[in-house]
Amino acid sequence: MGMSTDLKHRGNSHRNVSIILLLAAGLAVALTNGQDARSPGKPHVIIIMADDLGFDDVSFRGSNNFLTPNIDALAYSGVILNNLYTASMCTPSRSALLTGKYPINTGMQHYVIVNDQPWGLPQKEKTMAEIFRENGYYTSLLGKWHLGMSQRNFTPTQRGFDHHLGYLGAYVDYYDQTYQQNGKNYTRGHDFRLNLNVTHDQVGHYVTDVLSDAAVQLIEQHSSRNSSQPLFLLLSHLAPHAANDDDPMQAPAEELAKFEYIRNETHRYYAAMVSRLDRSVGQVIDALARQQMLQDSIVLFLSDNGGPTVGEHSTTASNYPLRGQKNSPWEGGLRSSAAIWSTEFERLGTVWKQQTYIGDLLPTLAAAAGITPDPDLHLDGMNLWPALKYGYESLEREIVHTIDTNPASPYLSYTRGKWKVVNGTTNAALFDGWLGERLTQEVDPRSANYEELIRNTSVWQHLQLLMGSQSERNISSLRQQAQIECPESSAATKPCLPLLAPCLFDIDADPCERNNLYEEYRNSTILLDLLQRIEQFARQAHAPNNKPEDPQCDPRFYHNEWTWWQDEQASGAGRLSSILIVFVCFWWIF
């Protein structure tokens, strides 16, 4: 397995002048469009999303294997979302975030958009970015999109974002921003853009740093040029997702050196990749504080799904003590380690146990900004802002995690209140076990002074300054509350074999999904009601949008760039370019 550091890819993450100028130009355009009045009560909304981060890979969950002090400081200062559910894979999860709808209602439920597949988030679906922009926000996406690129109108700046710096597909190399399609004989293609324009300025720079620096630049430019307009920023990191299969684990040498005590090389790289992500959170909070925007901001950190411990794109991510991993119906694939902060919260420094779905974030954050989404959008997400603001936890939430009727491997995962139904699974049940663990013999040296470490972060200090009388926090108590406790198995424990029969769990009592209650409840009104509700959702589900691969995507047709190939083919530009090259070659030979 190849591993990369910045010694292999020379360069640094200094600010790029062209990016600064274009950011400034973009903000100037927003001003000239008349979006320059930030109404009272419209906060800046900052969402920092990790990619494939394991549930237990933030140290506020209790692990001392490697620490995430900035993320932890944000969590302890704000509200830890102990039961935030996402979809189990990138594309469905991101579609739910941006539309406020279950993937089954937008056709995004079956697997992810592979780079060579010509489909995307349906044009009829209105995104969170569009809603916020219509209500006076400057909207920016930094990083991953993964909601379609075969046509230009699938891409971020056509779906509500005023500005985008990042990549359109599934993932890229951390240093050269290229993507190699597995199992296909396509040319390895570059995938990084500034708005609609290809940019190679970032080649040689570590992409986590590129995106972090861009976020800092955006905040600085926004504050200096347009302090009256609210900012909506989705910082959608690559980290800690694996890169291409020939070199999946990549981190700067100085970050890697902090984790020499970790013997497993892959895991050492993973710790460094997460650590660089943690550094990014600190940089964003610092920038908001410097520009005096922090007190008027909502800052949310989350992962798009659980981590892949083993199998495809595995990184040693841990979802301990939960069952399963990414791309599975189990809690380990569906629960995100998340935290949110705002001066509006009356109970800061708490662990919120209310069940929450990623699709709730659109109506919830919109409500925080005084925005009421159009009822005709028929959102599945619920406005939980009042409950979050005042710390209520009494709402029974229904969540359709997945209903996938793919004949090859149909499965479903559904929760209502404490009850969860699983029927069928993914990957022939290969990854249905309890895959994560805590390596208690390999401990981050900083853990000996954990509380001091947290209190010395700039994140903690910035946030505490704004808290006043709420500033006292019992970090050890909060850390203990954020951990998931699972009962031990006993002789009475009944296993779940979802390929043979449905399974029923009491998630409140059994969050690790060890004890299958299906036989006990199979004739009860509880289970019958759940199954009827699932059947209702299944009947109304949107057919999957997935389409087979299109070889015309091959980057070799488009100067080795991943691009909106259907538009290029329609215009003849891509094919004409190839024909001209062939013609010139023949002319030179003869």
Side-chain angles (χ1 to χ4, degrees):
M1 176 183 296
M3 309 285 180
S4 290
T5 70
D6 59 351
L7 297 179
K8 171 183 173 182
H9 302 272
R10 297 188 62 84
N12 55 51
S13 56
H14 291 170
R15 297 173 184 170
N16 186 276
V17 173
S18 62
I19 294 177
I20 296 174
L21 292 175
L22 281 164
L23 282 171
L27 290 169
V29 169
L31 282 169
T32 59
N33 287 337
Q35 299 175 346
D36 58 350
R38 184 157 73 90
S39 302
K42 285 194 181 299
H44 305 294
V45 177
I46 316 297
I47 302 174
I48 305 173
M49 177 176 278
D51 194 349
D52 284 8
L53 180 69
F55 182 79
D56 201 44
D57 292 327
V58 289
S59 49
F60 71 74
R61 291 288 178 203
S63 174
N64 287 322
N65 180 228
F66 58 85
L67 302 183
T68 52
N70 293 303
I71 296 170
D72 293 10
L74 173 65
Y76 298 139
S77 299
V79 175
I80 296 172
L81 306 179
N82 232 33
N83 290 292
L84 174 65
Y85 286 92
T86 67
S88 67
M89 295 195 80
C90 305
T91 295
S93 188
R94 291 160 199 276
S95 73
L97 170 69
L98 289 181
T99 66
K101 296 182 180 182
Y102 295 131
I104 63 163
N105 289 334
T106 60
M108 308 299 287
Q109 67 270 36
H110 179 62
Y111 206 64
V112 300
I113 301 175
V114 184
N115 277 34
D116 65 352
Q117 293 179 352
W119 62 287
L121 181 68
Q123 294 294 308
K124 67 179 181 179
E125 300 298 341
K126 197 164 195 174
T127 69
M128 185 191 298
E130 290 176 286
I131 292 170
F132 274 77
R133 184 165 68 178
E134 288 172 357
N135 285 272
Y137 276 76
Y138 181 80
T139 58
S140 177
L141 170 67
L142 300 175
K144 179 171 179 169
W145 175 239
H146 208 189
L147 289 174
M149 67 172 178
S150 61
Q151 300 173 24
R152 188 183 288 102
N153 60 14
F154 283 145
T155 61
T157 56
Q158 310 300 299
R159 303 308 302 269
F161 287 99
D162 293 306
H163 168 257
H164 174 230
L165 175 71
Y167 55 105
L168 300 173
Y171 54 87
V172 290
D173 182 274
Y174 277 77
Y175 288 98
D176 66 23
Q177 293 93 52
T178 62
Y179 171 85
Q180 178 65 61
Q181 179 89 36
N182 288 337
K184 301 292 173 61
N185 192 30
Y186 304 142
T187 294
R188 186 179 181 119
H190 175 263
D191 181 11
F192 216 75
R193 291 181 179 264
L194 181 56
N195 299 325
L196 295 176
N197 301 312
V198 170
T199 172
H200 289 264
D201 293 339
Q202 298 75 27
V203 172
H205 308 307
Y206 191 66
V207 75
T208 305
D209 296 344
V210 168
L211 299 176
S212 302
D213 289 349
V216 171
Q217 293 164 16
L218 175 68
I219 291 165
E220 290 174 347
Q221 292 292 326
H222 190 87
S223 175
S224 64
R225 295 182 178 273
N226 194 27
S227 60
S228 61
Q229 185 182 17
L231 172 65
F232 175 83
L233 169 60
L234 175 54
L235 175 52
S236 181
H237 272 293
L238 170 62
H241 195 292
N244 295 289
D245 283 357
D246 62 347
D247 194 6
M249 308 302 290
Q250 303 179 351
E254 71 273 14
E255 205 70 47
L256 194 64
K258 299 175 183 178
F259 302 98
E260 291 180 349
Y261 61 90
I262 297 177
R263 291 185 291 274
N264 180 284
E265 186 181 24
T266 302
H267 192 55
R268 190 184 320 131
Y269 269 85
Y270 182 70
M273 292 157 75
V274 175
S275 182
R276 207 66 167 197
L277 171 70
D278 181 74
R279 177 176 178 259
S280 176
V281 173
Q283 290 174 304
V284 171
I285 298 292
D286 287 348
L288 291 169
R290 282 196 308 272
Q291 303 306 318
Q292 298 184 345
M293 294 169 61
L294 186 56
Q295 63 268 30
D296 298 318
S297 295
I298 299 171
V299 182
L300 168 67
F301 174 84
L302 76 162
S303 177
D304 62 343
N305 44 250
T309 307
V310 294
E312 186 177 25
H313 303 312
S314 59
T315 57
T316 72
S318 175
N319 304 300
Y320 175 89
L322 303 176
R323 183 175 186 171
Q325 62 171 25
K326 174 183 177 178
N327 189 24
S328 80
W330 313 106
E331 297 289 288
L334 300 169
R335 286 177 88 164
S336 174
S337 276
I340 187 169
W341 179 90
S342 168
T343 55
E344 291 293 306
F345 297 155
E346 294 200 355
R347 298 186 61 198
L348 287 165
T350 57
V351 177
W352 201 46
K353 297 181 180 179
Q354 171 66 49
Q355 283 183 343
T356 310
Y357 181 60
I358 191 170
D360 298 335
L361 295 175
L362 191 163
T364 298
L365 294 173
I371 300 169
T372 303
D374 188 338
D376 289 340
L377 294 176
H378 302 294
L379 302 183
D380 296 307
M382 300 180 65
N383 171 17
L384 298 178
W385 182 251
L388 181 58
K389 182 175 180 179
Y390 299 109
Y392 304 144
E393 298 178 344
S394 58
L395 181 68
E396 182 177 87
R397 187 69 176 89
E398 174 185 58
I399 303 175
V400 181
H401 303 298
T402 306
I403 299 177
D404 192 339
T405 57
N406 174 35
S409 56
Y411 78 105
L412 67 86
S413 181
Y414 168 88
T415 297
R416 186 170 71 193
K418 70 176 186 176
W419 299 109
K420 180 177 179 182
V421 178
V422 175
N423 193 10
T425 187
T426 57
N427 296 302
L430 290 175
F431 310 125
D432 280 9
W434 294 264
L435 305 172
E437 59 179 335
R438 284 189 175 167
L439 302 174
T440 55
Q441 294 78 26
E442 296 182 345
V443 174
D444 193 317
R446 298 173 294 175
S447 63
N449 299 297
Y450 178 75
E451 288 205 22
E452 182 181 356
L453 174 70
I454 302 303
R455 294 182 188 275
N456 284 336
T457 62
S458 59
V459 173
W460 177 271
Q461 292 165 8
H462 290 316
L463 298 180
Q464 298 309 303
L465 282 175
L466 298 174
M467 292 302 94
S469 61
Q470 296 194 64
S471 61
E472 287 302 315
R473 297 285 180 275
N474 187 327
I475 290 176
S476 295
S477 176
L478 288 170
R479 199 181 194 204
Q480 181 63 40
Q481 292 175 51
Q483 296 189 52
I484 302 299
E485 300 293 337
C486 296
E488 293 293 329
S489 298
S490 67
T493 299
K494 295 181 174 60
C496 164
L497 301 173
L499 292 176
L500 300 179
C503 306
L504 177 68
F505 301 99
D506 179 344
I507 291 297
D508 285 354
D510 180 25
C512 293
E513 299 169 292
R514 296 184 185 276
N515 188 26
N516 179 14
L517 303 174
Y518 178 76
E519 289 299 327
E520 181 179 342
Y521 284 87
R522 67 179 305 165
N523 296 316
S524 69
T525 57
I526 291 174
L527 181 58
L528 293 176
D529 285 347
L530 295 173
L531 295 177
Q532 287 175 2
R533 184 64 170 154
I534 291 168
E535 178 59 29
Q536 180 182 350
F537 277 110
R539 287 196 306 268
Q540 298 171 353
H542 188 298
N545 299 320
N546 303 67
K547 293 183 179 180
E549 68 275 6
D550 179 2
Q552 295 302 318
C553 71
D554 194 334
R556 71 186 175 92
F557 297 136
Y558 316 104
H559 308 290
N560 298 330
E561 298 287 344
W562 286 98
T563 189
W564 30 82
W565 71 89
Q566 290 186 317
D567 293 339
E568 296 284 357
Q569 290 291 317
S571 69
R575 184 62 65 191
L576 179 60
S577 175
S578 298
I579 292 172
L580 285 173
I581 291 171
V582 171
F583 176 79
V584 170
C585 288
F586 272 102
W587 179 82
W588 181 259
I589 291 170
F590 288 105

